[in-house]
Amino acid sequence: MRLQLEKLIIGFTRRLNLRSKILTLYVLILLLPTLALGSGAVYMIMRSFHHSYLVAADESVRQTAKIVDFSKMSYELLAVRSATDGELIARLSRDYTDMADIVDTVNYVDRTFLITSKYLPGIADFRIYHTNETLVQDGQLLWRPEARMVSGMDERAWYKEVSEDPHSLRWSTVPGNPNQIILTRKIIDNSGTLLGVVYILLNYDAVFGELFDHPFDNGGSLYIVDDNGRVLAATERERIGSRIKADWPDEDASQEPQAATADGGKEQGTDTAQAGSGASGGTPVLDLTGTKELLIAKPLSSGWHVVALIHMKYMDDQNRAILLLIVGVTAFFLLLSISLMMTIVKNIVYRIRKLGTRMSDVSRGDFEVTVRNWEQDELGELEKLFNSMSERLGRLVEDITQAGLVEREQAFKALQAQINPHFIYNSLGLLRWRALSAQDEEQIRIIDALTTFYRLTLNNRISAIRIRDELEHVKAYLDICEFRYPGRVRVEWDIDEAALDYYTIKTILQPIVENCYVHGAIFRKPDAVIRISVRKAGDEIGMSVFDNGKGIPADRLKELDQGTYIGKGNGFGTANIKERLALYFGGDASFLVESVSGQWTRVTVKFPASFAEPALRREP
């Protein structure tokens, strides 16, 4: 079989010159398979880009939904706290005969809720409507429904509509004014009697404007839809107040992005959604059923949805640009390879062997070799290219080494960036505000300790800090543990003041101290003690953490020393600390774990003392 194939090939190429033979073999062996594989690669790249775009769009909508949900709950909390104020309910349900009592009630309302109405940004107006005929309206916060205009309709009709609404909390738009949103909350006494309504007029730009301006680089639209299908916020403000006609999944159960349309998640092949007149009361309807565009809906905690409508034309343009780029690059390299193949025909054996010898040197890692050339022909140009390639490969290897170091550093930073810092700080601020309102001093101290702890943990812009900052971080963690296990663990400090201004790697001590609680169960032992020492000895800094917890078994201690043990919660433990020490200090740093099972454990870290911030080393 092999001999017959050889005869067939020789007979086919016998009358061809050397150039034609090489080109023919090139087309059959390289060009055609490359084109076939390239077509498959282009297809896979296009699918990968399409998937990546969907994932990015889905994540963007998900983050927007979280922000909207947080903002919505903040304003609702303000309305609920105001409407459920016990003193306010008592005063609105009282019959007044004395003017002094009326003035006292007006002063109470102004004093209490005038400040409340300014807690959150974007509140354009704050009112408390009531129907108590014996209580006046002061025109500032206390109002009675009369023949005035509010929310784009007669005040009495509006109040009746709110009163008859089965929901106590209600969001609505202002007809003809897309720049305002209304939040109302019924004021009801213990017997279920309606006493009034808390009315909050919100500025649209301050609440939702920034989120909904120019989403997806002007490649789509965003909508907030309430549980009745009414649009409360939209990129195109003329859509506010209309209803959306579309079906989407009730739960965001899949980690893969879903294009939600009329049939519950599959793209349709009809025209783009248009707004028309609805059948109910002339309310405009934004019909999204059967749209060609990508529709993504994310549910909020109260039945609302954040809906994104992304234009597929933008994705098609991106696909077309990538396709043209890939085809152009492929064609360029194919043409270049053909040109190089043509030069090989003119080579002589001696020069090919010489070039082959030098290439063998390069393959062994010697990038300093060069090929001398005397002739200005095609092979001479190839020899020059070889010399240039050898030099560039040397630089490329150097660049790859540096890139590997940077990638490892970024991996550590990515580990610390799993929590949104702004969300944590805002949440802690909200908790502290509520603790202040409740005058809970212990809770305030806990929140302050958490804030100090996370200020360093979530700061991804630094990798090295001074020792005094690291100790402050550890103290914040110990304060938190003290709140969890009050009086159970005594902490002793042995700190050399001369060592505080030297640099160390961030979060070196805290994971070790945490292991005292997590793995050492220090809080369960009588007379528990943790002893933290930081000393400067010569040109070296020594840090140690001692605890008299349950210790480490000998077999596990051996695994820790060899780096083969992976226990629960060890994602940011001893292996991580060892690797980071090696990255910044190489062999100049040491990490030692000593322990006697059931008695004590001591972890010692040593590294060079330096007033300059340490940098990554090429060879850990």
Side-chain angles (χ1 to χ4, degrees), residues 430-485:
L430 178 60
L431 291 174
R432 196 176 194 279
W433 172 74
R434 297 197 65 176
L436 283 171
S437 298
Q439 298 182 351
D440 189 338
E441 295 297 328
E442 182 176 358
Q443 189 175 154
I444 291 173
R445 292 197 300 273
I446 295 174
I447 295 171
D448 289 342
L450 285 171
T451 302
T452 301
F453 178 79
Y454 281 121
R455 184 181 297 113
L456 180 65
T457 303
L458 300 180
N459 189 347
N460 303 322
R461 294 175 295 178
I462 59 173
S463 299
I465 59 174
R466 298 193 184 274
I467 292 175
R468 66 173 66 253
D469 296 328
E470 178 69 10
L471 291 176
E472 181 181 0
H473 184 232
V474 174
K475 289 177 181 177
Y477 176 78
L478 288 171
D479 288 342
I480 297 170
C481 292
E482 179 61 21
F483 284 116
R484 293 185 62 191
Y485 313 108

Side-chain angles (χ1 to χ4, degrees), residues 234-300:
T235 302
E236 303 90 358
R237 297 198 181 182
E238 62 272 13
R239 306 291 194 196
I240 296 176
S242 62
R243 293 186 180 276
I244 281 188
K245 182 182 179 182
D247 297 326
W248 49 71
D250 291 332
E251 298 293 336
D252 186 20
S254 173
Q255 294 181 356
E256 295 293 330
Q258 300 294 329
T261 53
D263 61 353
K266 298 180 180 178
E267 296 181 19
Q268 301 295 313
T270 58
D271 293 334
T272 304
Q274 299 291 333
S277 296
S280 175
T283 302
V285 174
L286 181 61
D287 189 358
L288 300 182
T289 57
T291 177
K292 280 184 178 180
E293 312 298 354
L294 178 63
L295 183 64
I296 301 176
K298 296 297 177 183
L300 304 184

Side-chain angles (χ1 to χ4, degrees), residues 238-387:
E238 62 272 13
R239 306 291 194 196
I240 296 176
S242 62
R243 293 186 180 276
I244 281 188
K245 182 182 179 182
D247 297 326
W248 49 71
D250 291 332
E251 298 293 336
D252 186 20
S254 173
Q255 294 181 356
E256 295 293 330
Q258 300 294 329
T261 53
D263 61 353
K266 298 180 180 178
E267 296 181 19
Q268 301 295 313
T270 58
D271 293 334
T272 304
Q274 299 291 333
S277 296
S280 175
T283 302
V285 174
L286 181 61
D287 189 358
L288 300 182
T289 57
T291 177
K292 280 184 178 180
E293 312 298 354
L294 178 63
L295 183 64
I296 301 176
K298 296 297 177 183
L300 304 184
S301 59
S302 59
W304 289 16
H305 285 77
V306 171
V307 181
L309 187 66
I310 304 174
H311 304 323
M312 297 300 293
K313 182 179 182 299
Y314 176 79
M315 187 182 299
D316 294 339
D317 291 341
Q318 293 293 319
N319 290 342
R320 190 178 301 107
I322 293 176
L323 178 61
L324 292 176
L325 177 63
I326 294 175
V327 171
V329 171
T330 303
F332 170 77
F333 282 106
L334 286 177
L335 292 175
L336 180 62
S337 64
I338 292 175
S339 175
L340 293 176
M341 290 294 295
M342 294 295 295
T343 62
I344 295 176
V345 179
K346 301 177 181 180
N347 290 339
I348 60 176
V349 175
Y350 168 75
R351 298 179 71 184
I352 291 177
R353 288 180 177 176
K354 182 180 66 173
L355 199 59
T357 301
R358 296 295 180 264
M359 292 180 69
S360 298
D361 294 337
V362 172
S363 67
R364 290 192 295 269
D366 184 7
F367 300 105
E368 302 295 329
V369 298
T370 58
V371 178
R372 299 181 60 186
N373 62 86
W374 296 271
E375 299 180 17
Q376 299 298 320
D377 57 5
E378 292 80 1
L379 188 55
E381 293 295 327
L382 185 60
E383 290 167 343
K384 293 180 181 179
L385 289 173
F386 172 80
N387 295 335

